[in-house]
Amino acid sequence: MLRLRYASDMEVGKRYLRRLLGLGVELLLGNLLMLWLLASCRRGLGLRGWEGGWCLRLCRMPRPGCGSWLWRSWRMSSSAGWPPAFLRVWIGNITVIHISWLLWGVMRYVLLVSLLVVLAFAYVVPTESLDVYYWAKPDGVYVVGLDGATLWSANAVFPLVASDSAGRCFAVVNRPYVYDIGGEGLNLRISVPTTVELSEDLLATFRQYGISLPPRVPIVLNITIPLPPVIIAATYKTAVASLHAPYGYPLWAVTLGPRANATAAATDCQYVVVGTIGGEVYVLANGRVVDVKSLGEPVTSAAWGRAPGVFYIGTAGGRIFRYSQGSLAQVGTCSGQVYSLAATPDGSAVAACFKKGERPEVELYPYGLRLAPSVLAEYGIDSPRVPAALSQDGRVFAVGVQDYVVVFEGGRESWRAKVPSLPLAVAVSGNGSVVAVGTLGGDVLVFWRGREVARLGGSSPVTSLGLSVDGRALVVERWTQASATRLAFVNIALKVPGQCLPADVDVRVGDSTYLYRLAGSGTVFIPVGRVSLAPRYKYMGDVRCRPLGNVTLDVRGDVEAPVELGYVLEYRVSLMPPNITRGPGWASGPASFFAERVVQIPVVDSPVQQGRLVLVGWEVDGKRLNLSAPSVSVDVSRPTEVKALYRVELPGYVQVNATYRLRLESVFVFDRFGTPIASGPAPVVSVYPVIVRGVYTPQVLVSTVFPAVVNGSTSLWADLGSVVVFQGRDVEFRNGTRLAFVKWVELDSSERTVQLVADRAVRLTPQYEVQYRVWAKLPATVVEPVNATWVARGSAVKIAVPDVLSQQGNTRTVVGQWVINGVPNATLKGNVITLRVTKPLNVTYTVKRQYLLTFTTRYGSVTPAMWVDEGGTAAVVPTPMDVWAPPPLRWVFAGWRDTATGVVYSYPQMPVAYGPVTYEAVWTLDLVPILAIAGAAAGAVFLVWFRRRRRLARLMAEVQE
């Protein structure tokens, strides 16, 4: 196998092979391989001689078809007098093996190794406006337009290209080349058809298994013959330098010979200076060599000195020479090899010299500044080199070092910027305001006045860069691809939270996408064309910046109006469990989340086959929300964990028959990996999918009849083997009725409490009687049955109360009237009553107050004292009620006088008992006897007066007369 460093395209290889054949390489390969093959055939296979023989008649094609490529090779070389006549005669007459494929196989290896050059090294040289640029590739030089069109090209081998500061011309140095091919031996494969004859025994054996074969079977024998390896000698070509107009027209060309291996070139569009690895400096003009100088050490760089015929040359020893009008003088030296050289408008030299020591460093001549650690770019036809560039006005010198690009103005550092990977190429605009840096990681960073304004991303390292004088056009080379881009200013108004800075924005132009990193609002460069600005999401752990939208622009030039790009800060939302919940994974502000209400789940190793998850609530950042709604709204202001809480529900009971069932004891929940996550009768989980196992306990039916209870109820399912307690309790109703336990019918036991083991279904029937409550108002008591509170229905009860309930002095309280269930009963008299209990009895009584009234009299006799109900009248009169004392005075009883108040109750009005009072009998004198006597006396007096009146009247009449 050949060891190749680079892969190649076969079509490109074919074109390059034809070019090699035309130059003579194929002549050597074809002749040597033909002689070796024919000699091998003759010696190894005993074939016929040279003239008119044949070699394995595997190809009987005519001469133009069989080995047509080889035939062209011989034909092209015949004019040079080789090969010898006998070989030319032989090749014209022989019928040969079809070896064109062998030769093409060998040449494919030559091709691939040659393409190591074709596909490997290149670099670009920009012009003033970059409407075109000069591109040097290992197989030629190209003049390429800004739009990518190839305007001119010429074949060349490892060419060097140089131009003046404005790109008004370009010089090409076509250098010698070396190919060194090594390989392993080739193999010759021969296929021979033949026939195999099978024995009868073998055929009979096959027939036993139903396989029928013919007695003769055709086969093909493949024979591989190893061939000796091929060794191809090195091939050289002379170096040619030429000068061309910008559109490629050749002005002149000079051959420098095979020994002038050029390593550097420079031109002022009149002279061309070529430096070589041997230390020679060739000065060319008008198609001839006008001067040759020897520096004694390899030339590593050359630059035009900004004056006609003036050039600067840098060497591997760190010396800098100035050539002018035939004289060569050393003008400076630096520590290291001069790998970047330029001239300022005043004609002085500026160089970057690389020195490999303990730390690689680059020295900037003539400033004497040293930067470390530095970078040396190994890639390119003009390599190695230090990534550095000088502006046309000579004020700005930019150098790439590890992780940084450093820009100097007037020998002092102006600014530096960090780059994402090693800088490999640097380009500067005419006044130095725009600096472009290409990196090993494929990024092209464009800085404007020290601020990053563009970042063009790529996947391949940037091997060469070029900028127009105004910095508005950029050409980028990546390995064997080069493309140019026009740039325009755009004012970006970035409305983002501070955490989102810097913001990455994808800038898409056609099929190309570039990555811009924006530290804030400001002006940026973007490619010209239809541009889409697509801000990228930015993730910072559990926080991200989400772009608000893309912006599409049709950019033809600078965009004056601000282009707004916005971001909003969002936080990661961990939503659990997955698959059965929905909602945004990132949110800011109110966000809604949804969950399935019920999810069916399988159950393993249980009497039931299926259970379910029932949504019972939500949990937000550890805070439980007892909200069973299928959606919840959360105000997301930080990284948030939202969990839908599901209760694992299995059938609580599995009914086997009327008196036997299984009760769910516990539920064990595992995740899909078998890890226990919850357990209990109805565990709550926030995981899905889950593996559920239910544990069930056997139960039997235990029952009784109301009002008896077993373990607190009339019937229950008791765990098999558990202890149950039957209680014959009395049940009291609110209406004063109760059921009183008598006995257990099945057990014939009056024990109120019975304990049994539930080893089977059990039912006990209680016997009860109806009792009514008898309640007597104290001090009344139930005297028969003694102190009874509840009395069986139909029984008699006797209730007694004291005669005097209370007494204080001449005042006492006694029972007024019996009241049964709130209804006064006038028929019940006395302090002891008997009642038949047919319903609840509430026996009360009314009370009345009695006062002790005292009576006194002057005449006769009276009851001295008596108790009278409050408000009642005392029907008491003295005996007798009239008395003659003394005659003829007759005293008659007139009533009673309250001795305390003097109030007199005239008979027949009786005194009212309003308190303990003493009443005195009031006697009145009977005037009838007295009036009778007085009337008689008065009549007598009147009669006397009347008579005297008449007598007086008579006397008066007599006097008047």
Side-chain angles (χ1 to χ4, degrees):
M1 296 293 293
L2 290 175
R3 294 184 295 273
L4 304 180
R5 296 184 180 178
Y6 296 92
S8 62
D9 185 89
M10 298 304 297
E11 294 301 324
V12 176
K14 291 179 181 180
R15 294 198 305 270
Y16 193 64
L17 178 61
R18 294 190 183 98
R19 184 159 59 251
L20 291 178
L21 292 175
L23 296 174
V25 176
E26 69 279 12
L27 176 61
L28 177 61
L29 294 175
N31 291 343
L32 291 177
L33 188 60
M34 174 63 74
L35 292 175
W36 172 76
L37 284 174
L38 293 180
S40 299
C41 287
R42 186 180 182 193
R43 289 195 307 269
L45 301 177
L47 303 177
R48 295 185 181 180
W50 296 93
E51 297 82 5
W54 57 274
C55 181
L56 290 180
R57 298 180 181 270
L58 301 176
C59 176
R60 299 182 179 275
M61 299 173 65
R63 183 174 61 192
C66 185
S68 58
W69 169 82
L70 183 62
W71 175 253
R72 290 197 300 271
S73 301
W74 283 86
R75 184 178 59 188
M76 288 186 291
S77 61
S78 297
S79 60
W82 207 92
F86 79 93
L87 286 178
R88 290 200 299 270
V89 173
W90 167 76
I91 201 67
N93 297 326
I94 190 171
T95 302
V96 298
I97 186 173
H98 186 191
I99 62 173
S100 65
W101 66 274
L102 290 174
L103 295 176
W104 173 240
V106 175
M107 292 313 297
R108 279 193 303 175
Y109 294 112
V110 177
L111 211 62
L112 292 173
V113 179
S114 302
L115 289 176
L116 181 151
V117 175
V118 175
L119 299 180
F121 308 113
Y123 68 100
V124 295
V125 176
T127 59
E128 182 85 357
S129 62
L130 204 63
D131 55 341
V132 298
Y133 58 91
Y134 312 125
W135 189 15
K137 296 178 64 176
D139 62 345
V141 177
Y142 301 84
V143 178
V144 184
L146 184 67
D147 59 354
T150 300
L151 309 179
W152 177 87
S153 64
N155 294 334
V157 179
F158 292 106
L160 293 177
V161 176
S163 181
D164 67 348
S165 59
R168 293 172 295 185
C169 66
F170 66 94
V172 179
V173 181
N174 191 358
R175 300 189 287 183
Y177 60 92
V178 178
Y179 296 113
D180 190 4
I181 308 299
E184 297 180 359
L186 303 177
N187 293 325
L188 179 63
R189 294 180 181 177
I190 303 174
S191 296
V192 179
T194 184
T195 301
V196 175
E197 185 174 349
L198 304 179
S199 65
E200 287 296 333
D201 294 339
L202 183 60
L203 293 174
T205 301
F206 278 116
R207 281 193 293 270
Q208 293 177 1
Y209 295 96
I211 301 175
S212 177
L213 294 176
R216 290 180 177 80
V217 179
I219 63 172
V220 177
L221 296 178
N222 296 317
I223 303 173
T224 301
I225 303 174
L227 301 178
V230 178
I231 305 299
I232 302 176
T235 304
Y236 297 90
K237 180 184 177 184
T238 186
V240 178
S242 58
L243 185 65
H244 301 261
Y247 49 87
Y249 178 77
L251 301 177
W252 49 262
V254 177
T255 300
L256 302 181
R259 295 184 178 275
N261 194 346
T263 55
T267 183
D268 61 356
C269 294
Q270 181 180 357
Y271 293 90
V272 175
V273 170
V274 179
T276 68
I277 192 68
E280 293 87 4
V281 176
Y282 292 85
V283 181
L284 315 174
N286 298 322
R288 60 188 181 88
V289 178
V290 298
D291 198 358
V292 178
K293 302 292 184 179
S294 179
L295 304 181
E297 57 189 16
V299 176
T300 55
S301 59
W304 176 43
R306 297 293 187 97
V310 178
F311 296 91
Y312 287 97
I313 298 97
T315 68
R319 296 187 296 169
I320 300 174
F321 293 87
R322 184 177 187 270
Y323 178 87
S324 177
Q325 297 180 356
S327 64
L328 184 68
Q330 181 175 340
V331 295
T333 183
C334 60
S335 59
Q337 299 172 326
V338 183
Y339 280 137
S340 180
L341 186 60
T344 62
D346 62 2
S348 60
V350 177
C353 306
F354 178 82
K355 179 181 178 180
K356 182 66 175 178
E358 182 178 351
R359 296 179 67 196
E361 66 178 14
V362 61
E363 178 183 347
L364 305 183
Y365 172 86
Y367 311 122
L369 299 174
R370 286 182 170 84
L371 302 176
S374 61
V375 178
L376 186 67
E378 306 290 352
Y379 175 83
I381 297 173
D382 58 340
S383 67
R385 67 180 182 275
V386 172
L390 178 69
S391 63
Q392 288 192 25
D393 61 8
R395 294 187 305 106
V396 176
F397 189 51
V399 182
V401 296
Q402 288 187 20
D403 300 330
Y404 287 92
V405 57
V406 186
V407 176
F408 298 87
E409 288 192 43
R412 296 183 179 181
E413 182 176 330
S414 174
W415 56 270
R416 68 170 55 200
K418 188 173 179 62
V419 294
S421 57
L422 289 177
L424 298 184
V426 175
V428 182
S429 65
N431 60 5
S433 62
V434 180
V435 177
V437 183
T439 67
L440 182 66
D443 294 313
V444 177
L445 287 78
V446 181
F447 298 91
W448 179 56
R449 297 176 181 174
R451 184 172 62 86
E452 182 181 333
V453 292
R455 179 175 295 203
L456 312 181
S459 58
S460 301
V462 178
T463 53
S464 184
L465 281 178
L467 269 177
S468 63
V469 67
D470 62 354
R472 299 297 188 90
L474 172 70
V475 58
V476 181
E477 181 200 56
R478 305 175 189 273
W479 295 133
T480 59
Q481 301 293 327
S483 60
T485 304
R486 287 177 55 214
L487 302 174
F489 278 117
V490 173
N491 185 18
I492 299 295
L494 203 58
K495 296 182 179 180
V496 299
Q499 302 96 310
C500 299
L501 295 177
D504 292 337
V505 179
D506 284 332
V507 179
R508 298 187 180 94
V509 183
D511 296 333
S512 300
T513 300
Y514 308 109
L515 175 62
Y516 279 44
R517 178 157 293 175
L518 306 179
S521 299
T523 303
V524 298
F525 271 153
I526 64 173
V528 172
R530 187 165 183 80
V531 180
S532 174
L533 303 179
R536 283 188 178 184
Y537 285 85
K538 184 175 183 178
Y539 293 87
M540 300 165 288
D542 290 333
V543 182
R544 79 171 184 180
C545 300
R546 177 178 62 84
L548 295 179
N550 299 343
V551 176
T552 300
L553 303 173
D554 193 5
V555 180
R556 298 299 178 188
D558 293 347
V559 179
E560 301 294 338
V563 178
E564 292 188 358
L565 296 178
Y567 278 88
V568 63
L569 205 61
E570 291 187 332
Y571 305 93
R572 186 188 302 276
V573 179
S574 299
L575 184 58
M576 298 290 290
N579 303 325
I580 58 175
T581 54
R582 304 183 307 278
W586 297 85
S588 178
S592 295
F593 303 91
F594 304 89
E596 299 292 339
R597 282 186 179 271
V598 179
V599 179
Q600 301 297 326
I601 55 174
V603 181
V604 299
D605 194 18
S606 299
V608 297
Q609 303 299 320
Q610 194 174 58
R612 65 179 187 171
L613 299 178
V614 179
L615 182 67
V616 295
W618 297 83
E619 184 178 289
V620 180
D621 287 339
K623 183 178 180 181
R624 177 75 177 264
L625 303 177
N626 293 320
L627 178 67
S628 59
S631 65
V632 65
S633 181
V634 178
D635 188 7
V636 180
S637 60
R638 63 187 179 192
T640 303
E641 184 180 59
V642 178
K643 293 182 179 180
L645 302 180
Y646 283 90
R647 182 175 61 244
V648 181
E649 292 187 354
L650 300 186
Y653 302 97
V654 178
Q655 198 71 35
V656 178
N657 54 42
T659 59
Y660 185 83
R661 74 177 184 182
L662 300 176
R663 176 182 62 84
L664 179 63
E665 179 74 24
S666 184
V667 177
F668 295 92
V669 185
F670 307 85
D671 62 14
R672 59 179 178 174
F673 303 107
T675 304
I677 57 175
S679 63
V684 176
V685 299
S686 59
V687 177
Y688 184 83
V690 291
I691 301 173
V692 176
R693 177 177 177 267
V695 177
Y696 284 82
T697 299
Q699 288 187 322
V700 293
L701 181 62
V702 179
S703 61
T704 185
V705 179
F706 182 83
V709 294
V710 52
N711 287 3
S713 66
T714 57
S715 67
L716 62 88
W717 291 90
D719 293 346
L720 191 66
S722 63
V723 176
V724 294
V725 178
F726 289 87
Q727 289 182 326
R729 61 176 184 171
D730 295 340
V731 179
E732 182 179 343
F733 303 100
R734 291 179 179 269
N735 60 357
T737 306
R738 77 172 184 177
L739 296 177
F741 176 78
V742 178
K743 68 176 181 179
W744 300 105
V745 175
E746 289 80 4
L747 302 179
D748 194 19
S749 172
S750 60
E751 293 290 336
R752 287 181 176 271
T753 302
V754 176
Q755 289 187 355
L756 298 176
V757 176
D759 54 358
R760 57 185 176 82
V762 177
R763 180 180 177 85
L764 295 184
T765 304
Q767 181 178 336
Y768 280 87
E769 68 176 5
V770 178
Q771 293 182 346
Y772 297 112
R773 181 179 178 86
V774 177
W775 182 86
K777 180 181 179 181
L778 293 176
T781 58
V782 178
V783 296
E784 187 179 332
V786 179
N787 295 327
T789 303
W790 294 92
V791 179
R793 182 171 53 186
S795 300
V797 63
K798 184 180 289 184
I799 299 173
V801 66
D803 294 337
V804 178
L805 300 178
S806 65
Q807 181 175 350
Q808 291 182 354
N810 294 330
T811 303
R812 72 178 184 179
T813 302
V814 298
V815 174
Q817 189 177 24
W818 292 99
V819 179
I820 309 301
N821 292 337
V823 179
N825 192 331
T827 62
L828 296 177
K829 303 293 183 179
N831 295 336
V832 178
I833 61 174
T834 301
L835 300 173
R836 178 69 59 184
V837 179
T838 59
K839 59 183 177 181
L841 296 179
N842 183 7
V843 180
T844 62
Y845 49 83
T846 62
V847 297
K848 55 186 179 180
R849 185 176 297 165
Q850 291 182 340
Y851 301 106
L852 182 63
L853 302 182
T854 304
F855 299 93
T856 62
T857 182
R858 288 184 302 166
Y859 305 105
S861 62
V862 69
T863 302
M866 65 180 301
W867 292 93
V868 180
D869 296 341
E870 182 181 20
T873 58
V876 178
V877 294
T879 303
M881 296 179 64
D882 59 282
V883 177
W884 298 90
L889 298 178
R890 182 175 178 262
W891 297 93
V892 179
F893 173 73
W896 297 98
R897 183 179 71 247
D898 188 341
T899 61
T901 61
V903 176
V904 176
Y905 298 92
S906 297
Y907 183 81
Q909 182 182 5
M910 295 290 108
V912 177
Y914 63 88
V917 178
T918 298
Y919 291 99
E920 181 183 15
V922 178
W923 298 88
T924 60
L925 184 62
D926 188 2
L927 296 179
V928 174
I930 295 175
L931 290 176
I933 294 174
V941 172
F942 178 76
L943 181 61
V944 173
W945 176 78
F946 182 73
R947 285 179 178 179
R948 288 179 178 177
R949 179 83 179 170
R950 287 181 65 183
R951 185 183 297 149
L952 180 59
R954 214 178 304 114
L955 290 176
M956 289 299 292
E958 290 178 1
V959 172
Q960 290 177 358
E961 291 178 0

